[in-house]
Amino acid sequence: MNRDTVLVDKMVYIKEGIIEKIADNIEVSGIQIFDAENKYLTPGLIDMHVHVWDRYELGLYLSNGVTAVRNLWGMPMHLRIKEDVIHGNIISPTFFTTGPKLTGSEFIGDDNLNLTNPSEAKEKVLSYKERGYDFIKTYYGLDKEIFDAIIEQAKIYEIDIVAHPSQKVSFSYHLNPQIKSIEHVEEIVQQPLKFDLDKSKLQSILDSISQSKHTSYCPTITVFNNIYQMMINDSILDSESLGYMNPLIKKVDSKNQFERWFNAKQEDPATIERIKEQHDFHITIVKKLHEAGVTIICGTDAGIGVTLPGFSIHKELAFYKEAGLSNYEALKTATVNASQAHSIMSQLGTVEEGKIANLLLVDKNPLVELSSLENPIYVFVKGRKLNRETLNSYNEKAKNRKNLIASALRYLENLIIEK
Ligand SMILES: [Zn+2]
C-alpha cells in the first residue's frame, strides 16, 4: 500500500505474528507453507470509527477482513478486551479504544462525562491514560477553556485526541496538532456550514484542513447514509442483516433512530429528499477533501443505529470510490493512512517486513476489484490463519445472539464506574 502495484511471485515469511521477510524465495525448514498461486495478499482493513458492544462483533469484523478497529466510545469492557487481545486470550482484530466521551456540562446523554472545569478535564485525561485507554475522545459542548486544558494535558502525557467537533469552539480550533483525527463529514455540514450545502463556503473550510498536515479526516459516510436507508425501508428493523447488531442496541438505539426518522418523514415528506441531498453533499466533501490532499481515514460508525459491524466497511470504501478515489486510494484509507494517523498504529497497514502480520488472502486483485475484500479466503490476524469456514462460523455465532442482559449490565457498569 505504499505503491499502486502488485508484487508478483513473492514469498512472505511470518514469524511470531510479524512479517519477518518478503523475497522471491525464502528457505526456512519446519514451517507450514501455503501456496497462494493466482491469489492476492493484501493488508487487513482498519475501521477507524466503531462502537463495540460485545465480543461477537470482533468475529464479524474479522470475517469481513477488518483486522484492526479503533473503538470511539470507551468503557471498562473495552479495557478488558484490550487485555485479552494483548495476552492472546481471544482471537480479535487488533484493538484500540478511546476513553469515555468528554463533553461539556450541559450536553445531556446518560454516559457523557459532563466536564465543568479545566482541572476536572485534566484529571480525566490522566486517569484514562493510566488505565490504559489509547486515545482521548472529545465530543460536543466543550468550551475553549476546558478544551485547552484537555489538549495541554494530552500533550504532556503523550496521548492523541480524536475529536467529534464541539459546537462551542470554531471548527478550525480542532486543527490542533494534538488532535489527530476529526470525525464525521456531516459535522462540517452541521457546524461551519450550518446546513448550507454551498460548495464555495465548503472550499475555505477544506483548505484550512489541508493546511494542517497532522489532521486526518474520518468521514463515516455509511452511518449517515443509513438514515436515508431507514427512511426508504419501513421494515428495515426486521431485515435479516439486523440480526448482526447487538440485541441491546437493536432494541434501544436502532429502534429509537428508526422511529425518529419515521416520524420526521410523517411530519414532512420532504425530509427524505433533504437527507439524500445531504448524503450526496457528503460524497462531494470527500471528493474535495481528497483533492485538497487531506489524509482520509476509513471509518463507518459501525455498532450503532443500523450500521453493521464489519459488513459496513465495504459500503464505506464504495462511497469513497464514488467520491472519485481510485481503488488504490480507497484502500489506503483503510490501511496505510489509518496506520499513520497515530504512532501506536504504525505497525499496521502495509505488507512490509517488520509489520504485524494482519493480512487478507483474496481471489481477485483488490486494486481492480474492491469487492474481492468482502470474502477473504484467509484472514491472518497477528499471523494466526483463519479460514473461510472459521470466519463464517463467527457470522453464524453472532447472528440473533441472545446477550441482551449481559450487554445491559456492561453498559450499567460503565455508568457506575465512569460517571
Ligand atoms: Zn461514533
Side-chain angles (χ1 to χ4, degrees):
M1 293 314 300
N2 291 321
R3 272 180 297 158
D4 186 359
T5 189
V6 176
L7 304 176
V8 293
D9 290 337
K10 295 287 178 191
M11 286 183 82
V12 177
Y13 175 31
I14 301 171
K15 187 182 175 189
E16 285 163 20
I18 304 291
I19 300 170
E20 174 93 356
K21 196 173 182 189
I22 302 170
D24 290 337
N25 199 27
I26 302 171
E27 293 208 20
V28 197
S29 57
I31 61 157
Q32 205 178 358
I33 295 173
F34 304 107
D35 184 357
E37 193 169 10
N38 297 325
K39 308 243 183 305
Y40 295 82
L41 192 68
T42 178
L45 303 174
I46 305 171
D47 192 332
M48 293 293 272
H49 193 128
V50 305
H51 299 282
V52 170
W53 301 98
D54 60 37
R55 296 181 181 209
Y56 293 95
E57 293 181 355
L58 304 174
L60 293 175
Y61 285 108
L62 290 173
S63 83
N64 278 283
V66 178
T67 55
V69 294
R70 191 178 69 166
N71 178 69
L72 285 207
W73 187 348
M75 299 178 195
M77 65 169 284
H78 299 119
L79 293 175
R80 294 194 290 270
I81 290 177
K82 249 180 81 83
E83 277 293 294
D84 280 341
V85 173
I86 289 165
H87 294 113
N89 298 335
I90 53 170
I91 302 169
S92 160
T94 309
F95 195 86
F96 300 92
T97 183
T98 69
K101 294 181 285 190
L102 297 178
T103 69
S105 55
E106 83 281 21
F107 189 73
I108 307 304
D110 52 11
D111 85 320
N112 289 319
L113 268 297
N114 303 119
L115 301 173
T116 52
N117 62 69
S119 63
E120 196 185 356
K122 287 188 174 184
E123 267 169 42
K124 287 293 179 198
V125 172
L126 176 56
S127 125
Y128 294 165
K129 168 85 183 183
E130 283 179 340
R131 283 159 60 200
Y133 290 114
D134 300 298
F135 312 112
I136 298 299
K137 165 109 181 243
T138 59
Y139 204 64
Y140 280 121
L142 293 171
D143 61 27
K144 187 174 176 302
E145 203 192 3
I146 294 178
F147 218 143
D148 283 343
I150 294 170
I151 291 172
E152 193 190 318
Q153 189 81 334
K155 197 168 175 214
I156 294 170
Y157 291 100
E158 295 177 334
I159 184 165
D160 291 350
I161 298 172
V162 178
H164 178 123
S166 167
Q167 82 292 15
K168 287 272 182 93
V169 293
S170 70
F171 189 82
S172 63
Y173 177 88
H174 299 92
L175 303 171
N176 183 290
Q178 200 62 32
I179 300 175
K180 303 300 178 191
S181 83
I182 302 179
E183 308 301 295
H184 313 300
V185 275
E186 71 260 36
E187 292 304 324
I188 294 178
V189 174
Q190 282 152 211
Q191 295 191 35
L193 289 181
K194 299 184 178 67
F195 292 96
D196 182 2
L197 307 183
D198 181 323
K199 284 184 194 167
S200 56
K201 282 185 194 157
L202 173 67
Q203 196 56 48
S204 66
I205 299 161
L206 300 185
D207 288 343
S208 68
I209 301 173
S210 71
Q211 276 156 25
S212 98
K213 291 296 168 208
H214 39 74
T215 307
S216 300
Y217 214 96
C218 185
T220 69
I221 300 266
T222 307
V223 72
F224 188 91
N225 180 265
N226 277 338
I227 297 175
Y228 178 66
Q229 301 304 327
M230 282 189 270
M231 292 185 104
I232 59 170
N233 180 1
D234 284 351
S235 56
I236 197 164
L237 292 181
D238 303 319
S239 62
E240 216 186 309
S241 62
L242 262 271
Y244 290 117
M245 293 300 288
N246 171 280
L248 176 70
I249 297 306
K250 196 179 162 187
K251 201 173 168 66
V252 183
D253 191 55
S254 315
K255 192 163 166 279
N256 286 349
Q257 285 203 25
F258 176 81
E259 280 169 5
R260 176 184 165 196
W261 293 107
F262 185 82
N263 293 337
K265 78 174 172 187
Q266 299 299 101
E267 257 168 54
D268 179 6
T271 317
I272 303 176
E273 199 41 44
R274 267 204 301 279
I275 293 291
K276 178 69 168 63
E277 272 169 28
Q278 192 179 334
H279 162 76
D280 292 342
F281 197 74
H282 293 161
I283 299 283
T284 305
I285 298 179
V286 170
K287 181 174 191 284
K288 292 190 171 290
L289 278 169
H290 179 61
E291 286 167 359
V294 176
T295 303
I296 295 169
I297 54 177
C298 176
T300 58
D301 223 343
I304 58 165
V306 298
T307 305
L308 304 177
F311 302 92
S312 297
I313 200 163
H314 306 295
K315 281 193 181 176
E316 188 73 22
L317 293 174
F319 284 135
Y320 299 163
K321 230 190 127 172
E322 197 185 323
L325 278 72
S326 67
N327 282 12
Y328 171 62
E329 289 159 342
L331 265 175
K332 279 178 83 173
T333 68
T335 55
V336 67
N337 289 4
S339 77
Q340 288 167 351
H342 303 286
S343 58
I344 60 171
M345 294 180 74
S346 63
Q347 249 199 312
L348 304 168
T350 56
V351 187
E352 202 174 338
E353 289 174 6
K355 293 271 186 136
I356 292 173
N358 281 359
L359 302 163
L360 314 179
L361 190 72
V362 296
D363 263 327
K364 288 180 184 149
N365 181 1
L367 295 174
V368 177
E369 208 160 322
L370 273 184
S371 62
S372 69
L373 299 164
E374 288 170 23
N375 284 299
I377 304 161
Y378 292 142
V379 170
F380 294 87
V381 57
K382 276 201 189 137
R384 185 199 285 255
K385 176 174 70 80
L386 306 168
N387 61 26
R388 196 63 243 169
E389 203 184 350
T390 303
L391 297 165
N392 289 343
S393 78
Y394 295 159
N395 290 355
E396 285 310 309
K397 279 182 199 151
K399 201 161 190 189
N400 301 319
R401 55 197 184 271
K402 301 199 167 24
N403 59 347
L404 175 76
I405 292 171
S407 304
L409 287 175
R410 279 192 294 270
Y411 191 69
L412 200 65
E413 173 203 26
N414 169 56
L415 297 188
I416 293 165
I417 292 182
E418 300 295 359
K419 281 286 253 196

Coordinates of all heavy atoms in Angstrom, one line a residue, residues 133-197:
Y133 N -6.5 3.4 28.4 CA -7.2 3.8 27.1 C -6.1 4.4 26.2 O -5.2 5.0 26.6 CB -8.3 4.9 27.4 CG -9.5 4.3 28.2 CD1 -9.8 4.7 29.5 CD2 -10.3 3.4 27.6 CE1 -10.9 4.2 30.2 CE2 -11.5 2.9 28.2 CZ -11.7 3.3 29.5 OH -12.8 2.8 30.2
D134 N -6.3 4.2 24.9 CA -5.3 4.6 23.9 C -5.4 6.0 23.5 O -4.4 6.6 23.1 CB -5.4 3.7 22.7 CG -5.3 2.2 23.0 OD1 -4.2 1.9 23.4 OD2 -6.2 1.5 22.8
F135 N -6.6 6.5 23.4 CA -6.8 7.9 22.9 C -7.9 8.6 23.8 O -8.7 8.0 24.5 CB -7.4 7.9 21.5 CG -6.6 7.0 20.6 CD1 -7.2 5.9 20.0 CD2 -5.3 7.3 20.2 CE1 -6.6 5.0 19.2 CE2 -4.6 6.4 19.3 CZ -5.3 5.3 18.8
I136 N -7.9 9.9 23.7 CA -8.9 10.8 24.3 C -9.9 11.1 23.2 O -9.6 11.5 22.1 CB -8.3 12.1 24.9 CG1 -7.2 11.8 25.9 CG2 -9.4 13.0 25.4 CD1 -7.8 11.0 27.2
K137 N -11.2 10.9 23.6 CA -12.3 11.3 22.6 C -13.0 12.6 23.1 O -13.5 12.6 24.2 CB -13.3 10.2 22.5 CG -14.6 10.6 21.8 CD -14.8 10.1 20.5 CE -16.1 10.5 19.8 NZ -17.0 9.5 19.5
T138 N -12.9 13.6 22.4 CA -13.6 14.8 22.7 C -14.9 14.9 21.9 O -15.0 14.4 20.8 CB -12.8 16.1 22.5 OG1 -12.5 16.2 21.1 CG2 -11.5 16.1 23.3
Y139 N -15.9 15.5 22.6 CA -17.3 15.4 22.0 C -17.9 16.8 22.1 O -17.3 17.8 22.4 CB -18.1 14.3 22.8 CG -19.2 13.7 22.0 CD1 -19.0 13.0 20.8 CD2 -20.5 13.9 22.5 CE1 -20.1 12.4 20.2 CE2 -21.6 13.3 21.9 CZ -21.4 12.6 20.7 OH -22.5 12.0 20.0
Y140 N -19.2 16.8 21.9 CA -20.0 18.1 21.9 C -19.8 18.9 23.2 O -19.6 18.3 24.3 CB -21.5 17.9 21.8 CG -22.0 17.6 20.4 CD1 -22.6 16.4 20.1 CD2 -21.8 18.5 19.4 CE1 -23.1 16.1 18.8 CE2 -22.3 18.3 18.1 CZ -22.9 17.1 17.8 OH -23.4 16.8 16.6
G141 N -20.0 20.2 23.1 CA -20.2 21.0 24.3 C -18.9 21.4 25.0 O -19.0 22.0 26.1
L142 N -17.7 21.1 24.5 CA -16.5 21.5 25.2 C -16.2 23.0 24.8 O -16.1 23.3 23.7 CB -15.3 20.6 24.8 CG -15.4 19.2 25.3 CD1 -14.3 18.4 24.6 CD2 -15.4 19.1 26.8
D143 N -16.1 23.8 25.8 CA -15.8 25.2 25.5 C -14.3 25.3 25.5 O -13.5 24.4 25.8 CB -16.4 26.2 26.5 CG -16.0 26.0 27.9 OD1 -14.8 25.5 28.1 OD2 -16.7 26.3 28.9
K144 N -13.8 26.5 25.1 CA -12.4 26.7 24.8 C -11.5 26.4 26.0 O -10.5 25.8 26.0 CB -12.1 28.1 24.2 CG -10.7 28.3 23.8 CD -10.5 29.6 23.1 CE -9.0 29.8 22.7 NZ -8.1 29.7 23.9
E145 N -12.0 26.9 27.2 CA -11.2 26.8 28.4 C -10.9 25.3 28.8 O -9.8 24.9 29.1 CB -11.9 27.5 29.5 CG -11.0 27.9 30.6 CD -11.8 28.4 31.9 OE1 -13.1 28.3 31.8 OE2 -11.2 28.8 32.8
I146 N -12.0 24.5 28.7 CA -11.9 23.1 29.1 C -11.1 22.4 28.0 O -10.3 21.5 28.2 CB -13.3 22.5 29.3 CG1 -13.9 23.1 30.5 CG2 -13.2 21.0 29.5 CD1 -15.3 22.7 30.9
F147 N -11.4 22.7 26.7 CA -10.7 22.0 25.6 C -9.2 22.3 25.7 O -8.4 21.4 25.5 CB -11.3 22.6 24.3 CG -11.4 21.5 23.2 CD1 -12.5 21.5 22.3 CD2 -10.5 20.5 23.1 CE1 -12.6 20.6 21.3 CE2 -10.6 19.5 22.1 CZ -11.7 19.6 21.2
D148 N -8.9 23.5 26.0 CA -7.4 23.9 26.1 C -6.8 23.0 27.2 O -5.6 22.5 27.0 CB -7.2 25.3 26.4 CG -7.4 26.2 25.2 OD1 -7.4 25.7 24.1 OD2 -7.6 27.5 25.4
A149 N -7.5 22.8 28.3 CA -6.9 22.0 29.4 C -6.7 20.6 28.9 O -5.7 19.9 29.2 CB -7.9 22.1 30.6
I150 N -7.7 20.0 28.2 CA -7.6 18.6 27.7 C -6.4 18.5 26.7 O -5.6 17.6 26.9 CB -8.9 18.2 26.9 CG1 -10.1 18.2 27.9 CG2 -8.7 16.9 26.2 CD1 -11.4 18.0 27.2
I151 N -6.2 19.5 25.8 CA -5.1 19.4 24.9 C -3.8 19.5 25.6 O -2.9 18.8 25.3 CB -5.3 20.6 23.8 CG1 -6.5 20.2 22.9 CG2 -4.0 20.7 23.0 CD1 -6.9 21.4 21.9
E152 N -3.7 20.5 26.5 CA -2.5 20.7 27.2 C -2.1 19.4 28.0 O -0.9 18.9 27.9 CB -2.7 21.8 28.2 CG -1.4 22.3 28.8 CD -1.7 23.3 30.0 OE1 -2.7 24.1 29.9 OE2 -1.0 23.2 31.1
Q153 N -3.0 18.8 28.7 CA -2.7 17.6 29.4 C -2.4 16.4 28.5 O -1.5 15.6 28.8 CB -4.0 17.2 30.3 CG -3.7 16.1 31.3 CD -3.0 16.7 32.6 OE1 -2.3 17.7 32.5 NE2 -3.3 16.0 33.7
A154 N -3.1 16.3 27.4 CA -2.9 15.2 26.5 C -1.5 15.3 25.9 O -0.8 14.3 25.6 CB -3.9 15.2 25.4
K155 N -1.1 16.5 25.7 CA 0.3 16.7 25.2 C 1.3 16.3 26.2 O 2.3 15.6 25.8 CB 0.5 18.2 24.8 CG 1.6 18.5 23.9 CD 1.6 19.9 23.3 CE 2.9 20.1 22.5 NZ 3.4 21.4 22.6
I156 N 1.1 16.7 27.4 CA 2.1 16.3 28.5 C 2.2 14.8 28.6 O 3.3 14.2 28.7 CB 1.7 16.9 29.8 CG1 1.8 18.4 29.8 CG2 2.5 16.3 31.0 CD1 1.2 19.1 31.0
Y157 N 1.0 14.1 28.6 CA 1.0 12.6 28.8 C 1.1 11.8 27.5 O 0.9 10.6 27.5 CB -0.2 12.2 29.6 CG 0.0 12.7 31.0 CD1 -0.7 13.9 31.5 CD2 0.9 12.1 31.9 CE1 -0.5 14.4 32.7 CE2 1.1 12.6 33.2 CZ 0.4 13.7 33.6 OH 0.7 14.2 34.9
E158 N 1.3 12.5 26.3 CA 1.5 11.9 25.0 C 0.4 10.9 24.7 O 0.6 9.8 24.4 CB 2.9 11.2 25.0 CG 4.0 12.2 25.1 CD 5.4 11.5 25.1 OE1 5.5 10.4 25.6 OE2 6.4 12.2 24.8
I159 N -0.8 11.5 24.7 CA -1.9 10.7 24.3 C -2.7 11.5 23.2 O -3.0 12.6 23.4 CB -2.8 10.3 25.5 CG1 -4.0 9.3 25.1 CG2 -3.3 11.5 26.3 CD1 -4.6 8.6 26.3
D160 N -2.9 10.8 22.1 CA -3.6 11.5 21.0 C -5.1 11.8 21.2 O -5.7 11.0 22.0 CB -3.5 10.7 19.7 CG -2.1 10.5 19.2 OD1 -1.2 11.3 19.7 OD2 -1.9 9.7 18.2
I161 N -5.6 12.8 20.6 CA -7.0 13.2 20.7 C -7.7 12.9 19.4 O -7.2 13.1 18.3 CB -7.2 14.6 21.1 CG1 -6.6 15.0 22.5 CG2 -8.7 15.0 21.1 CD1 -6.6 16.4 22.8
V162 N -8.9 12.3 19.5 CA -9.8 12.1 18.4 C -11.0 13.0 18.7 O -11.6 12.8 19.7 CB -10.2 10.6 18.3 CG1 -11.2 10.4 17.1 CG2 -9.0 9.7 18.1
A163 N -11.3 13.8 17.7 CA -12.4 14.8 18.0 C -13.6 14.7 17.2 O -13.6 14.6 16.0 CB -11.8 16.2 17.8
H164 N -14.7 14.5 17.9 CA -16.0 14.8 17.3 C -16.2 16.3 17.5 O -16.2 16.7 18.7 CB -17.1 14.0 18.0 CG -18.5 14.1 17.5 ND1 -19.3 13.1 17.1 CD2 -19.2 15.3 17.4 CE1 -20.4 13.6 16.7 NE2 -20.5 14.9 16.9
P165 N -16.3 17.1 16.5 CA -16.2 18.6 16.7 C -17.2 19.1 17.7 O -18.3 18.6 17.8 CB -16.5 19.1 15.3 CG -16.2 18.0 14.3 CD -16.5 16.8 15.0
S166 N -16.7 20.0 18.6 CA -17.5 20.6 19.5 C -18.1 21.9 18.9 O -17.3 22.7 18.3 CB -16.7 21.0 20.8 OG -17.4 21.9 21.6
Q167 N -19.4 22.1 19.1 CA -20.0 23.3 18.6 C -19.7 24.6 19.4 O -20.0 25.7 19.0 CB -21.5 23.1 18.4 CG -22.4 23.3 19.7 CD -22.2 22.3 20.8 OE1 -21.2 21.6 20.8 NE2 -23.1 22.4 21.8
K168 N -19.0 24.4 20.5 CA -18.7 25.6 21.4 C -17.4 26.3 21.0 O -17.0 27.3 21.5 CB -18.5 25.1 22.8 CG -19.8 24.8 23.5 CD -20.4 26.0 24.1 CE -21.7 25.8 24.9 NZ -21.5 25.5 26.3
V169 N -16.6 25.7 20.1 CA -15.4 26.3 19.6 C -15.5 26.4 18.0 O -16.3 25.7 17.5 CB -14.1 25.6 20.0 CG1 -13.9 25.7 21.5 CG2 -14.1 24.1 19.5
S170 N -14.7 27.1 17.4 CA -14.7 27.2 15.9 C -14.3 25.9 15.4 O -13.5 25.1 16.0 CB -13.9 28.3 15.4 OG -12.5 28.0 15.6
F171 N -14.7 25.6 14.1 CA -14.3 24.3 13.5 C -12.7 24.3 13.4 O -12.1 23.3 13.6 CB -14.9 24.1 12.1 CG -14.7 22.8 11.6 CD1 -15.5 21.7 12.0 CD2 -13.7 22.6 10.7 CE1 -15.3 20.4 11.4 CE2 -13.5 21.3 10.1 CZ -14.3 20.3 10.5
S172 N -12.2 25.4 13.0 CA -10.7 25.4 12.8 C -9.9 25.2 14.1 O -8.8 24.8 14.1 CB -10.3 26.8 12.1 OG -10.6 27.8 13.0
Y173 N -10.6 25.4 15.2 CA -9.9 25.2 16.5 C -9.5 23.7 16.6 O -8.5 23.4 17.2 CB -10.9 25.5 17.6 CG -10.3 25.2 19.0 CD1 -9.6 26.1 19.7 CD2 -10.5 23.9 19.6 CE1 -9.1 25.8 21.0 CE2 -10.0 23.6 20.8 CZ -9.3 24.6 21.5 OH -8.7 24.2 22.7
H174 N -10.2 22.8 15.9 CA -9.9 21.4 16.0 C -8.6 21.0 15.2 O -8.2 19.8 15.3 CB -11.1 20.5 15.6 CG -12.3 20.8 16.4 ND1 -13.3 21.7 16.1 CD2 -12.7 20.2 17.6 CE1 -14.2 21.7 17.0 NE2 -13.9 20.8 17.9
L175 N -8.1 21.9 14.5 CA -6.9 21.6 13.7 C -5.6 21.7 14.5 O -4.6 22.1 14.0 CB -6.8 22.5 12.4 CG -8.1 22.5 11.6 CD1 -8.1 23.6 10.5 CD2 -8.3 21.1 10.9
N176 N -5.7 21.4 15.7 CA -4.6 21.4 16.7 C -3.7 20.2 16.5 O -4.3 19.1 16.3 CB -5.2 21.5 18.1 CG -4.1 21.6 19.2 OD1 -3.4 20.7 19.4 ND2 -4.1 22.8 19.8
P177 N -2.4 20.3 16.6 CA -1.5 19.2 16.3 C -1.8 18.0 17.3 O -1.5 16.8 16.9 CB -0.1 19.7 16.6 CG -0.2 21.2 16.6 CD -1.6 21.6 16.8
Q178 N -2.4 18.2 18.4 CA -2.6 17.1 19.4 C -3.9 16.3 18.9 O -4.0 15.1 19.3 CB -2.9 17.6 20.8 CG -2.7 16.6 21.9 CD -1.3 16.0 21.9 OE1 -0.3 16.7 21.6 NE2 -1.2 14.8 22.3
I179 N -4.7 16.9 18.1 CA -5.9 16.2 17.6 C -5.5 15.5 16.2 O -5.3 16.2 15.3 CB -7.1 17.2 17.4 CG1 -7.4 17.9 18.7 CG2 -8.3 16.5 16.8 CD1 -8.5 19.0 18.7
K180 N -5.5 14.2 16.3 CA -5.0 13.5 15.1 C -6.1 13.2 14.1 O -5.8 13.0 12.9 CB -4.4 12.2 15.5 CG -3.2 12.3 16.5 CD -2.1 13.2 16.0 CE -1.0 13.3 17.0 NZ 0.0 14.4 16.7
S181 N -7.4 13.1 14.5 CA -8.4 13.0 13.5 C -9.7 13.6 13.9 O -10.0 13.7 15.1 CB -8.6 11.5 13.2 OG -9.5 10.8 14.1
I182 N -10.4 14.1 12.9 CA -11.7 14.7 13.1 C -12.7 13.8 12.5 O -12.5 13.3 11.4 CB -11.8 16.1 12.5 CG1 -10.7 17.0 13.1 CG2 -13.1 16.8 12.7 CD1 -10.6 18.4 12.5
E183 N -13.8 13.6 13.2 CA -14.8 12.6 12.9 C -16.0 13.2 12.2 O -16.5 14.3 12.6 CB -15.3 11.8 14.1 CG -14.1 11.3 14.9 CD -13.3 10.3 14.2 OE1 -13.8 9.3 13.7 OE2 -12.1 10.6 13.9
H184 N -16.6 12.5 11.2 CA -17.9 12.7 10.5 C -17.9 13.9 9.6 O -17.8 15.1 10.0 CB -19.0 13.0 11.6 CG -19.0 12.0 12.7 ND1 -19.2 10.6 12.5 CD2 -18.9 12.1 14.0 CE1 -19.2 10.0 13.7 NE2 -19.0 10.9 14.6
V185 N -18.1 13.6 8.3 CA -18.2 14.8 7.3 C -19.5 15.5 7.6 O -19.6 16.7 7.4 CB -18.3 14.3 5.8 CG1 -16.9 14.2 5.3 CG2 -19.2 13.1 5.6
E186 N -20.5 14.9 8.2 CA -21.8 15.7 8.4 C -21.6 16.8 9.4 O -22.4 17.8 9.4 CB -23.0 14.8 8.8 CG -22.9 14.2 10.2 CD -22.5 12.8 10.2 OE1 -21.6 12.4 9.3 OE2 -22.9 11.9 11.0
E187 N -20.5 16.7 10.3 CA -20.3 17.8 11.2 C -19.8 19.0 10.5 O -20.0 20.1 10.9 CB -19.3 17.4 12.3 CG -19.8 16.3 13.2 CD -21.1 16.7 14.0 OE1 -21.2 17.9 14.3 OE2 -21.9 15.8 14.2
I188 N -19.2 18.9 9.3 CA -18.8 20.1 8.5 C -20.1 20.7 8.0 O -20.2 22.0 8.0 CB -17.9 19.6 7.3 CG1 -16.6 19.1 7.8 CG2 -17.7 20.8 6.3 CD1 -15.6 18.6 6.7
V189 N -21.1 19.9 7.6 CA -22.4 20.5 7.2 C -23.1 21.1 8.3 O -23.6 22.2 8.2 CB -23.2 19.4 6.5 CG1 -24.6 19.9 6.1 CG2 -22.5 18.8 5.3
Q190 N -23.1 20.4 9.4 CA -23.9 20.9 10.6 C -23.3 22.0 11.3 O -24.1 22.9 11.9 CB -24.2 19.7 11.5 CG -25.3 18.8 10.9 CD -25.3 17.3 11.4 OE1 -25.7 16.4 10.6 NE2 -24.8 17.1 12.6
Q191 N -22.0 22.1 11.4 CA -21.4 23.1 12.2 C -20.9 24.3 11.3 O -21.7 25.3 11.2 CB -20.3 22.6 13.1 CG -20.9 21.6 14.2 CD -20.0 21.2 15.2 OE1 -19.1 22.0 15.7 NE2 -20.1 20.0 15.7
P192 N -19.8 24.3 10.7 CA -19.4 25.5 10.0 C -20.3 25.9 8.9 O -20.6 27.1 8.6 CB -18.0 25.2 9.4 CG -17.8 23.8 9.5 CD -18.7 23.3 10.6
L193 N -20.9 25.0 8.1 CA -21.8 25.3 7.0 C -23.2 25.6 7.5 O -24.0 26.2 6.7 CB -21.8 24.2 6.0 CG -20.5 24.1 5.1 CD1 -20.7 22.9 4.1 CD2 -20.2 25.3 4.4
K194 N -23.6 25.2 8.7 CA -25.0 25.4 9.2 C -26.0 25.0 8.2 O -27.0 25.7 7.9 CB -25.2 26.9 9.6 CG -24.2 27.4 10.7 CD -24.5 28.8 11.1 CE -23.6 29.3 12.2 NZ -22.1 29.4 11.8
F195 N -25.8 23.8 7.7 CA -26.7 23.1 6.7 C -26.8 23.8 5.4 O -27.7 23.4 4.6 CB -28.1 22.9 7.3 CG -28.1 21.9 8.5 CD1 -28.0 22.3 9.8 CD2 -28.2 20.5 8.2 CE1 -28.0 21.4 10.8 CE2 -28.1 19.6 9.3 CZ -28.0 20.1 10.6
D196 N -26.0 24.8 5.1 CA -26.0 25.4 3.8 C -25.1 24.6 2.9 O -23.8 24.6 3.1 CB -25.5 26.8 3.9 CG -25.5 27.6 2.6 OD1 -25.9 27.0 1.6 OD2 -25.1 28.7 2.6
L197 N -25.6 23.8 1.9 CA -24.8 23.0 1.1 C -24.2 23.8 -0.1 O -24.5 23.6 -1.2 CB -25.7 21.8 0.5 CG -26.5 21.0 1.5 CD1 -27.3 19.9 0.9 CD2 -25.6 20.5 2.7

